[in-house]
Amino acid sequence: MPELPEVETIRRGLQKCVVKEKGGKVIRVEILEKKSFIGESSMIVGASIRTLRRRGKALIFDFTNGTSIICHLRMTGQLIWTSSEERFAGGHPNDNFIAELPNKQTRIVIGFERGTLFFNDQRKFGFMRALKTEDVENDSFIRRLAKEPWEMSGEELFAKLQRHKGAPVKSVILDQSIIAGLGNIYADETLFYAKINPKRKAGNVSRDEADALIEGARVVMDRSLEAGGSTIRNYVKSDGTKGDYLELFAKVFNRQGKKCERCGAIILKTRVGGRGTHFCPVCQKQ
DNA sequence: CTAGGATCCTGTCAGC
DNA sequence: TGCTGACAGGATCCTA
């Protein structure tokens, strides 16, 4: 679930409350679900967070003692910081954003001097991994990541699409070793922006369309970042009701049955590479 | 090498 | 009110 903009929103949000003296040193690490934590949790006890980085959809906590935590939220992960004066929640938007913690879905609790960081994850696909900072680049997930859309040219993407010419273009742009950061929402939104049908073979995508894909990926993710990804602030609307942050920017995702904002046709939902896929049958012809 | 399908896990929702 | 099956914003592993 959380894609690049959500993870970046979390990075920015936590930067303001948990880094260095704001959060202070780690007092304890409580692992409530063994498979959610890889490595030795005692590595970070006594250290504070020096910086927060992001690579694709992975968040990296660098600690003052030369250790790091790589955190991947996968489908349903959330990070929630609580202290006496504030609460920041981001990731998979559900009621844990505002629930009492820890709870049934809490997998890891990291207690700091001045607050607590909860890692919640309904489906247990996400994880935290403790390792030396110098080993982060060698991590099996980090190592395989391609460039993000802002660093990649249309020419580079075009070449990569050619190498997977038989696969549907949507499946190819979801591959983090092809281009980093896109998940199911932004893949659909990017293809809508570029007016490309998600089922088209990657090999049929033209050089110009590859440019449009790069531009689309940048635009849709920038737009989501402005909206703040999925965080507590847009989960709870100003009138107190719970919201769907997708309303803020999605043109096709979860809009099946509704009108295309560009041409008025009805948005359809289908299945591509095993994933639910939303598109406009008129703007994105086969 | 590529492409496609199964798999990890819990929860929710539609349909009977 | 159950029960059942499909599906969920991800990535990896296995097979052909």
Side-chain angles (χ1 to χ4, degrees), chain A residues 161-203:
Chain A
L161 292 174
Q162 293 301 309
R163 254 176 270 144
H164 299 266
K165 54 184 187 312
V169 58
K170 174 172 175 181
S171 301
V172 179
I173 63 171
L174 277 174
D175 184 337
Q176 304 299 298
S177 71
I178 302 290
I179 184 165
L182 293 173
N184 208 31
I185 296 174
Y186 301 105
D188 283 2
E189 296 296 323
T190 295
L191 290 162
F192 174 77
Y193 181 97
K195 301 182 181 176
I196 296 171
N197 187 289
K199 285 189 175 163
R200 272 178 55 193
K201 302 272 190 211

Side-chain angles (χ1 to χ4, degrees), chain A residues 13-276:
Chain A
L14 290 181
Q15 189 83 43
K16 290 178 191 158
C17 47
V18 71
V19 167
K20 293 178 188 165
E21 62 280 357
K22 302 257 184 132
K25 293 175 185 166
V26 173
I27 305 298
R28 69 196 169 95
V29 181
E30 211 174 323
I31 298 167
L32 305 179
E33 170 58 54
K34 222 173 175 188
K35 70 166 284 186
S36 301
F37 197 100
I38 304 157
E40 186 45 63
S41 63
S42 62
M43 285 171 77
I44 61 168
V45 174
S48 55
I49 295 173
R50 187 166 52 80
T51 51
L52 275 174
R53 292 184 281 155
R54 182 189 56 73
R55 294 272 283 114
K57 301 174 197 171
L59 191 61
I60 303 163
F61 301 78
D62 291 324
F63 288 83
T64 47
N65 64 352
T67 65
S68 294
I69 295 260
I70 297 173
C71 178
H72 200 308
L73 303 173
R74 293 278 184 101
M75 298 280 261
T76 55
Q78 309 171 307
L79 286 169
I80 302 161
W81 169 260
T82 63
S83 71
S84 50
E85 61 262 21
E86 61 196 332
R87 182 178 181 114
F88 171 84
H92 182 60
N94 72 14
D95 285 358
N96 280 328
F97 274 12
I98 49 180
E100 281 298 306
L101 294 169
N103 62 35
K104 205 177 166 195
Q105 296 182 355
T106 304
R107 309 303 177 201
I108 299 164
V109 183
I110 304 181
F112 289 76
E113 288 173 303
R114 285 181 275 283
T116 309
L117 185 65
F118 296 92
F119 174 66
N120 276 27
D121 185 15
Q122 178 191 124
R123 294 173 75 179
K124 305 182 185 174
F125 291 168
F127 60 87
M128 283 185 167
R129 176 194 301 266
L131 71 180
K132 288 185 188 164
T133 302
E134 63 199 46
D135 292 335
V136 167
E137 292 305 317
N138 268 329
D139 171 79
S140 58
F141 175 77
I142 301 291
R143 199 178 45 204
R144 284 195 275 264
L145 280 175
K147 291 181 188 170
E148 298 185 1
W150 298 274
E151 283 79 51
M152 186 176 288
S153 67
E155 192 173 353
E156 281 178 274
L157 180 61
F158 180 69
K160 284 166 174 271
L161 292 174
Q162 293 301 309
R163 254 176 270 144
H164 299 266
K165 54 184 187 312
V169 58
K170 174 172 175 181
S171 301
V172 179
I173 63 171
L174 277 174
D175 184 337
Q176 304 299 298
S177 71
I178 302 290
I179 184 165
L182 293 173
N184 208 31
I185 296 174
Y186 301 105
D188 283 2
E189 296 296 323
T190 295
L191 290 162
F192 174 77
Y193 181 97
K195 301 182 181 176
I196 296 171
N197 187 289
K199 285 189 175 163
R200 272 178 55 193
K201 302 272 190 211
N204 290 339
V205 174
S206 72
R207 177 66 183 72
D208 283 350
E209 285 174 325
D211 282 346
L213 282 172
I214 291 287
E215 185 181 308
R218 292 177 187 172
V219 168
V220 300
M221 293 204 288
D222 279 338
R223 216 181 265 154
S224 170
L225 273 167
E226 278 174 44
S230 56
T231 64
I232 193 167
R233 290 185 62 200
N234 59 41
Y235 179 70
V236 182
K237 298 200 236 181
S238 51
D239 64 1
T241 60
K242 291 166 201 162
D244 178 358
Y245 88 118
L246 289 170
E247 295 166 11
L248 300 172
F249 65 86
K251 308 290 182 197
V252 286
F253 195 89
N254 232 6
R255 292 194 72 249
Q256 62 272 24
K258 295 185 179 156
K259 280 188 178 174
C260 170
E261 289 178 17
R262 212 157 45 194
C263 75
I266 300 298
I267 303 294
L268 300 181
K269 181 173 182 182
T270 182
R271 202 148 257 277
V272 177
R275 311 296 302 276

